Amino acid sequence: MVNVLIADDQTLVRAGFRSILDGEDDISVIAEAGDGLEAVEIALRERPDVVLMDIRMPGIDGLEATRRIVADPRSEGVRIVILTTFDLDEYVYSALRSGASGFLVKDTEPMELIHCVRVAARGDSLLSPGVTRRLIAEFVDRIKEPPPATRLNSLTEREREVLAGIAEGLSNDELARRLVVSTATAKTHVSRVLAKLGARDRAQLVVIAYESGVVRPGWLS
């Protein structure tokens, strides 16, 4: 069962998301929060699998709430998905850097919402990878030159290939086909890259890949 916390200051938004998600046999909305402080408190107490986090909320906003949750050791295994509209893309990038697992547009279709929650819960791939890559590329492009990639020194050449593939949005199966290895081996490589770079999930690996110059804005379609 995937346990979900919905954090949004709009009652109708929370009710709509709850109605959609609670209709699934494998998903349960265990709590709602109407502001950022409440979201942090509930997330650390209940440790849901997924937090759907609005950016603009009273008290503290979704970005600060995300930072506080991620910084707390009790949040291990909690995946945060930012709720946004396209005019807030820059905030989404900040959220990804803070440890959010991805983002979801508020007017998404119900089936996409359900799919994204399941994907986030298993940490299998970044939400909306194509749009997210373009988003990250846009804002990382403001960095004229990437910083020295010293944090990547611990990676083998194969692991750097894996990191670049993740930045492209490749799934484990797609990584396996590219590297001509089994899916299990690809998963092992991903796990090692996550551990060596101290990243929470694949979303943070995408940010690291761009900021370290493993891939550069404009390289990917």
Side-chain angles (χ1 to χ4, degrees), residues 47-69:
R47 288 181 287 184
D49 299 299
V50 177
V51 179
L52 297 179
M53 180 80 76
D54 187 26
I55 287 182
R56 290 181 171 173
M57 291 188 291
I60 61 173
D61 64 18
L63 297 180
E64 178 60 25
T66 295
R67 282 190 284 267
R68 293 189 187 187
I69 293 170

Side-chain angles (χ1 to χ4, degrees), residues 119-142:
V119 168
R122 66 175 182 257
D124 189 38
S125 63
L126 184 64
L127 302 180
S128 304
V131 176
T132 302
R133 289 201 308 274
R134 292 195 296 273
L135 160 69
I136 292 172
E138 177 181 349
F139 291 102
V140 176
D141 193 35
R142 298 178 183 181

Side-chain angles (χ1 to χ4, degrees), residues 82-153:
I82 297 297
L83 300 174
T84 185
T85 54
F86 284 118
D87 62 326
L88 292 176
D89 279 351
E90 186 167 7
Y91 294 108
V92 175
Y93 175 66
S94 298
L96 290 174
R97 294 196 70 215
S98 299
S101 294
F103 76 97
L104 188 64
V105 180
K106 281 191 176 182
D107 62 357
T108 190
E109 294 295 322
M111 290 309 298
E112 181 66 12
L113 167 65
I114 293 165
H115 171 71
C116 286
V117 166
R118 289 172 176 153
V119 168
R122 66 175 182 257
D124 189 38
S125 63
L126 184 64
L127 302 180
S128 304
V131 176
T132 302
R133 289 201 308 274
R134 292 195 296 273
L135 160 69
I136 292 172
E138 177 181 349
F139 291 102
V140 176
D141 193 35
R142 298 178 183 181
I143 304 174
K144 299 305 181 182
E145 291 296 333
T150 53
R151 67 189 306 181
L152 305 185
N153 288 346

Side-chain angles (χ1 to χ4, degrees), residues 21-80:
L21 296 175
D22 274 346
E24 299 301 305
D25 293 338
D26 61 333
I27 300 175
S28 175
V29 177
I30 61 171
E32 297 179 17
D35 61 60
L37 287 173
E38 187 179 19
V40 174
E41 178 185 346
I42 295 174
L44 297 180
R45 183 181 71 238
E46 302 295 337
R47 288 181 287 184
D49 299 299
V50 177
V51 179
L52 297 179
M53 180 80 76
D54 187 26
I55 287 182
R56 290 181 171 173
M57 291 188 291
I60 61 173
D61 64 18
L63 297 180
E64 178 60 25
T66 295
R67 282 190 284 267
R68 293 189 187 187
I69 293 170
V70 170
D72 195 298
R74 290 173 291 175
S75 72
E76 184 177 359
V78 177
R79 302 294 181 228
I80 302 175

